[in-house]
Amino acid sequence: MPPSATSNLGYTPPDGGWGWAVVFGSFISIGFSYAFPKSLTIYYKEIQEYFSVSYSEIAWVSSIMLAAMYAGGPVSSILVNRYGSRPVVMIGGLMVGAGMIISSFGATIIHLYMCVGVIGGFGLAFNLQPSLTIIGTYFQVKRPMANGLAMAGSPVFLFTLAPLNQFLFDNFGWRGSFLILGGFVLNCCVAGSLMRPIRGKGPVKAVTSPNGANNKDEDCHSQTITTVSRKKKAGCTDRVNAFIDLSLFKHRGYLIYLVGNVVMFFGFFAPVVFLAPYAKHLQIDEYSAAFLLSIFALVDMFARPLTGVIANTKWVRPRIQYFFSFSVAYNGVCHLLCPLASGYMGLVMYAVFFGVAFGMVCALLFEVLMDLVGAQRFSSAVGLATIVECAPVLLGPPISGALVDIFMDYKYMYYACGVMMLVPGIFLFVMNFYNYRWLEQEENIYSTLQSIFPVYPK
Amino acid sequence: MHPDAAMLAAVLVGNLLLLQRASAQNEPRIDASDQVVLVHEGSHSTASPVTLQCNLTTTHNTHTGSFWMKNQQEIPGTRRDPKNTEYRLNKPRADDAGEYMCVYTFDKAPNANASIEVKAAPEIISHKRSENKNEGESAKLYCKSVGYPHPIWTWRKHRNGGWSEIDNSTGRFSIINNENYTELYIINLDISTDPGEYECNATNVIGNKTAKSILRVRSHLAPLWPLLGVLAEIFILVVIIVVYEKRKKPDEVPDDDEPAGPMKTNSTNNHKDKNLRQRNTN
């Protein structure tokens, strides 16, 4: 049986109590991070007319915001490693709020690029990473459930922000709406204030305790054991590792995760983006097409906590990597079968199944990462992962759009997305099978060594 | 005048008159049905079917065919041979109204036509239902109609419980009328006098129709109150959370600090796996 998920924290996380308040705070932060950029698209038509720019120029605002959000990942990780989650989230909230309020007075589209795009995007990055990290510090046994609940923030916020933005727009125009949204987004600061650091200490990164969970020392130590010539290099890497753990790139499980995810993200978001246009292409009216997205979001909303609960059971938790690879492959199968869906009811079925699949992957996305690298290095891991995943996330929808334009048919895009999710799913499944086996072997070797040499350093 | 010249002139004029009469005699005569008025009961019902008929009576030339035109444009699929043609409107609606012409084509003579007017009261098919603009900006209210003859447009504003003419003493209002389309353009919106209900009225000989539009003018300071409300809510929440935290006991979390010696049994497992994970980095 593969080894169970570890804590390497140095203390037993409470798995409850104030942890649920922290989950609620993460819920709000994650909700804003993912849903806010998407919900701003409601204002684009009016802003486009106001500044007399083309559609692609206004779409740059979204792209810049997303790019800043992903690029800010490592910066966010460094700050969280240094100062802990709470200050970073509060500063992130202030940044987004200030960005929106300043942009409401903007005179050109460049002002929007800077304020909403760059400042807003970085602010959202400062919200996302710390929220995920702090869950790992408060939860161990119930961590998948906590992750699932926190990630459910994204569809819930999207569901509420869309009509709210429409209401604000009708009553206040885009400038007034940006002003009010700037204030509304400051609720991230409220969420941040909930993220009380555990044990009153700032960063989870352990200090220099001799037996302590100190990967910095451990790396140094193991490197000096292996080769003497690399001693000098160990000093340099040590200093960098104080900020962000680059040794993660040598972590086998982490590399498997990265490779699988990079390919997966090419086909992950495109089907969501093209769901409504595909429905309209099949001669379904606009309102029913929009309703498909609502069905999708509603199913997603419930699928995420449910997946968290399932992942928490004692049958799934030890094999959570398999569960994740299954959900990725299930996504792929959904997309491959989508062109067979005929008529509106077929698309409704697809939206339901896709909603479940999407929710499953999102709920487990960061949980499996925590499971692989441990809560301590999670902050660096997620920061590095976002900057590597940045390219497929940003390129996926445009490439899919190009496929639709070239073939004038949506089915090739769905086939491509299906393949791009099925292959990583199978890859992750196979590689994790081997990874679990190698980990088991290493554990056996280690325990034999420890029985021979009782003082074998850890 | 020279008597020969006068005689020549008389003969010429006489010839001309003769020519005219002859051509009048040669001109084909078409009997066309009278003008039709489409009557509707209510906005969705249609009038009873209407048939427009043309009958070519006197002609010296053989005619080669006939077709129908509506508002100076040929209706596709109406080119036919028989002498009397008819064009049938099965479920006539307001947009079927217009000036119809039956046209006969000839071998060696120009086309002959007769026109039949199908009149209907105007129907307003689209208008701006509501317009929300900030003060100082410009607003455009429009109405589009179908019907024939083209209506005369008027705009009114709802004021003091009744409809009254638009007061353009400030010169900010301008109306552009164009057959079936009218536009009311207001510049430099004033938040005190401009908001309210506006009505466009389309009138022709048969009837009239109106449509209402609502204009709302947003003040520059309008979003300020909700913003202040949201900021107040956030401030209060943050204060409550921080105060609650300060008053709580600092050591709430059960610590499991490992001492620098033999491990407690329940954490041994964790450490083994922890080291295992880190070993993987090599």
Side-chain angles (χ1 to χ4, degrees):
Chain A
M1 204 189 106
S4 53
T6 68
S7 137
N8 30 353
L9 284 169
Y11 62 90
T12 309
D15 269 303
W18 188 251
W20 297 117
V22 170
V23 166
F24 183 62
S26 300
F27 179 87
I28 295 174
S29 271
I30 291 174
F32 273 116
S33 297
Y34 282 122
F36 198 68
K38 291 180 205 159
S39 64
L40 285 184
T41 53
I42 291 179
Y43 300 107
Y44 282 179
K45 192 156 184 293
E46 167 101 348
I47 298 178
Q48 190 187 336
E49 282 168 13
Y50 186 85
F51 286 122
S52 311
V53 292
S54 69
Y55 177 72
S56 62
E57 280 179 296
I58 194 74
W60 269 105
V61 175
S62 274
S63 308
I64 293 178
M65 202 171 189
L66 272 173
M69 212 167 95
Y70 281 94
V75 180
S76 178
S77 301
I78 294 173
L79 289 174
V80 169
N81 280 337
R82 205 72 198 276
Y83 301 110
S85 292
R86 179 186 258 176
V88 183
V89 173
M90 295 188 82
I91 290 182
L94 283 172
M95 279 173 79
V96 191
M100 292 297 289
I101 291 177
I102 295 174
S103 73
S104 76
F105 297 109
T108 70
I109 192 104
I110 309 287
H111 292 164
L112 260 84
Y113 290 160
M114 298 296 297
C115 297
V116 177
V118 177
I119 301 180
F122 268 100
L124 290 179
F126 289 173
N127 265 292
L128 184 61
Q129 249 74 293
S131 322
L132 297 165
T133 310
I134 201 162
I135 293 178
T137 68
Y138 268 89
F139 286 89
Q140 173 55 33
V141 174
K142 296 199 187 124
R143 200 176 58 198
M145 192 150 60
N147 263 312
L149 278 170
M151 291 298 284
S154 170
V156 167
F157 266 74
L158 192 59
F159 214 67
T160 31
L161 274 180
L164 176 74
N165 280 8
Q166 189 64 45
F167 169 76
L168 287 177
F169 173 62
D170 284 337
N171 283 308
F172 300 104
W174 73 268
R175 283 191 193 273
S177 302
F178 273 25
L179 195 67
I180 296 175
L181 279 176
F184 189 59
V185 118
L186 286 174
N187 274 304
C188 288
C189 294
V190 175
S193 61
L194 284 170
M195 293 181 192
R196 200 187 292 172
I198 199 143
R199 284 195 293 180
K201 190 176 65 160
V204 174
K205 170 182 147 71
V207 208
T208 49
S209 98
N211 315 302
N214 190 350
N215 45 335
K216 181 174 78 172
D217 276 350
E218 172 65 14
D219 284 343
C220 226
H221 195 84
S222 37
Q223 275 165 9
T224 48
I225 286 179
T226 47
T227 36
V228 176
S229 56
R230 291 173 68 197
K231 228 179 187 167
K232 277 211 181 108
K233 212 178 174 187
C236 277
T237 43
D238 255 2
R239 220 164 286 147
V240 176
N241 282 354
F243 289 105
I244 195 161
D245 195 352
L246 288 176
S247 67
L248 277 167
F249 283 119
K250 293 188 229 151
H251 189 295
R252 185 174 59 230
Y254 187 60
L255 285 174
I256 297 172
Y257 176 83
L258 272 186
V259 170
N261 272 28
V262 162
V263 181
M264 173 188 86
F265 271 112
F266 271 109
F268 193 51
F269 289 112
V272 187
V273 171
F274 287 105
L275 185 59
Y278 180 53
K280 285 188 216 156
H281 178 81
L282 292 179
Q283 316 296 333
I284 296 174
D285 65 285
E286 249 189 65
Y287 291 106
S288 307
F291 190 57
L292 277 177
L293 274 175
S294 307
I295 296 176
F296 168 77
L298 208 62
V299 173
D300 185 17
M301 212 185 290
F302 289 106
R304 293 193 194 200
L306 212 63
T307 310
V309 167
I310 294 175
N312 223 131
T313 56
K314 64 174 192 278
W315 301 285
V316 179
R317 183 87 190 270
R319 306 181 186 90
I320 202 168
Q321 304 293 335
Y322 294 148
F323 192 38
F324 179 61
S325 28
F326 163 73
S327 52
V328 173
Y330 171 50
N331 253 300
V333 169
C334 267
H335 298 324
L336 286 172
L337 293 178
C338 175
L340 296 174
S342 55
Y344 188 60
M345 282 321 290
L347 277 185
V348 168
M349 296 284 292
Y350 168 71
V352 168
F353 281 113
F354 180 37
V356 171
F358 194 82
M360 279 169 74
V361 172
C362 281
L364 294 171
L365 196 61
F366 296 108
E367 171 56 34
V368 296
L369 187 58
M370 268 189 226
D371 181 72
L372 280 169
V373 303
Q376 226 192 335
R377 305 161 82 187
F378 176 75
S379 171
S380 312
V382 76
L384 294 169
T386 49
I387 200 149
V388 169
E389 288 160 6
C390 179
V393 166
L394 288 178
L395 290 175
I399 291 179
S400 307
L403 274 173
V404 173
D405 286 335
I406 293 173
F407 292 105
M408 301 306 288
D409 195 349
Y410 281 87
K411 66 174 185 198
Y412 294 107
M413 180 208 85
Y414 277 106
Y415 288 151
C417 289
V419 165
M420 281 196 281
M421 300 219 58
L422 193 61
V423 168
I426 297 174
F427 169 79
L428 284 169
F429 193 87
V430 168
M431 291 309 289
N432 274 306
F433 174 71
Y434 284 116
N435 193 31
Y436 275 141
R437 270 223 285 189
W438 289 327
L439 283 173
E440 232 183 284
Q441 286 171 0
E442 282 164 12
E443 187 181 334
N444 290 337
I445 295 173
Y446 177 75
S447 49
T448 5
L449 279 172
Q450 218 197 355
S451 60
I452 299 171
F453 304 105
V455 294
Y456 197 80
K458 298 184 187 58
Chain B
M1 201 163 142
H2 200 268
D4 285 329
M7 260 247 310
L8 191 63
V11 169
L12 279 170
V13 170
N15 274 344
L16 276 167
L17 287 169
L18 214 62
L19 204 62
Q20 247 190 354
R21 233 181 5 151
S23 58
Q25 277 176 343
N26 281 340
E27 238 176 55
R29 263 212 354 223
I30 305 172
D31 277 334
S33 38
D34 287 329
Q35 73 168 35
V36 181
V37 174
L38 302 174
V39 177
H40 303 261
E41 319 286 322
S43 56
H44 289 291
S45 71
T46 55
S48 45
V50 163
T51 312
L52 307 172
Q53 276 186 320
C54 271
N55 200 346
L56 184 65
T57 49
T58 333
T59 178
H60 289 266
N61 302 328
T62 43
H63 82 285
T64 50
S66 65
F67 61 92
W68 285 86
M69 289 174 92
K70 179 185 173 187
N71 295 333
Q72 326 302 326
Q73 278 188 325
E74 179 179 339
I75 305 173
T78 52
R79 286 210 175 231
R80 259 169 289 168
D81 266 333
K83 270 193 179 179
N84 24 324
T85 75
E86 59 179 40
Y87 185 69
R88 197 179 166 78
L89 295 164
N90 279 325
K91 290 188 190 166
R93 296 190 316 253
D95 59 355
D96 287 320
E99 191 196 354
Y100 286 84
M101 271 201 308
C102 53
V103 183
Y104 288 95
T105 54
F106 294 100
D107 227 356
K108 294 182 186 89
N111 292 353
N113 59 44
S115 69
I116 307 167
E117 286 185 323
V118 177
K119 296 187 180 173
E123 282 289 329
I124 295 183
I125 51 170
S126 88
H127 66 285
K128 197 78 180 276
R129 276 175 226 280
S130 76
E131 175 91 322
N132 300 337
K133 288 280 182 200
N134 291 330
E135 58 177 331
E137 289 183 349
S138 316
K140 183 175 83 170
L141 300 172
Y142 67 86
C143 292
K144 269 191 208 149
S145 76
V146 289
Y148 184 83
H150 297 304
I152 297 176
W153 293 99
T154 48
W155 282 90
R156 295 193 299 181
K157 185 175 191 301
H158 195 88
R159 216 194 303 265
N160 303 329
W163 294 99
S164 55
E165 282 290 316
I166 292 183
D167 167 24
N168 198 9
S169 50
T170 51
R172 296 178 294 114
F173 293 78
S174 59
I175 298 176
I176 302 169
N177 292 334
N178 199 356
E179 285 190 353
N180 273 335
Y181 177 75
T182 183
E183 193 178 281
L184 173 66
Y185 197 70
I186 315 171
I187 57 168
N188 202 6
L189 286 166
D190 181 312
I191 197 170
S192 46
T193 58
D194 288 340
E197 267 187 29
Y198 288 80
E199 184 188 74
C200 64
N201 182 320
T203 309
N204 70 4
V205 282
I206 312 296
N208 68 21
K209 204 71 192 253
T210 62
K212 289 198 193 64
S213 308
I214 298 181
L215 177 67
R216 292 192 198 96
V217 182
R218 304 187 278 240
S219 133
H220 283 307
L221 294 176
L224 211 60
W225 293 110
L227 175 70
L228 289 174
V230 169
L231 289 176
E233 166 246 326
I234 289 168
F235 183 70
I236 292 171
L237 281 176
V238 172
V239 164
I240 290 176
I241 291 169
V242 170
V243 165
Y244 177 73
E245 183 174 326
K246 294 287 177 237
R247 273 152 145 252
K248 266 278 202 186
K249 279 175 251 176
D251 268 333
E252 203 190 314
V253 178
D255 242 3
D256 214 69
D257 250 342
E258 332 95 54
M263 306 300 148
K264 291 190 207 150
T265 35
N266 59 351
S267 20
T268 316
N269 224 12
N270 290 343
H271 284 275
K272 244 184 16 198
D273 293 326
K274 165 202 69 180
N275 292 323
L276 214 52
R277 293 255 189 260
Q278 282 157 344
R279 205 154 286 283
N280 288 340
T281 68
N282 301 322

